[in-house]
Amino acid sequence: MLEDAPVLIQKLTASKQTLSTVESCTGGLLFGYLTAVPGASAVLERGFITYSDQSKQEMVGVTANTLAAFGAVSQQTAEEMAK
């Protein structure tokens, strides 16, 4: 993963795109890898670490129904986080 970070930053820079992340169980690990790359600040918009159910609901719009039905560590919750 760490070795791929410079490639991603380079591709984002070349295509004039930015990236935001929403992480939970990784605790910000992905964003940490990316911020270690020189020049990353030009393409990294922001990173959310939504470890608690409350933060998932408040910061990234995961519904209480999804959390109750499927749990915090589920495909359904990850999909809502991505949206």
Side-chain angles (χ1 to χ4, degrees):
M1 177 75 156
L2 185 58
E3 63 276 359
D4 296 329
V7 175
L8 177 58
I9 297 301
Q10 180 182 29
K11 287 182 178 187
L12 289 168
T13 301
S15 63
K16 298 184 185 335
Q17 295 182 24
T18 61
L19 177 70
S20 295
T21 63
V22 179
E23 299 181 68
S24 181
C25 297
T26 56
L29 187 62
L30 173 60
F31 207 77
Y33 284 142
L34 297 173
T35 59
V37 178
S41 61
V43 297
L44 296 179
E45 178 63 30
R46 64 192 70 194
F48 296 91
I49 301 170
T50 57
Y51 202 76
S52 71
D53 287 359
Q54 182 177 350
S55 67
K56 286 176 180 61
Q57 291 175 71
E58 292 175 359
M59 296 177 71
V60 296
V62 175
T63 67
N65 289 341
T66 297
L67 291 166
F70 303 104
V73 182
S74 66
Q75 178 177 337
Q76 293 82 356
T77 296
E79 288 174 358
E80 286 192 21
M81 290 171 65
K83 291 177 184 175

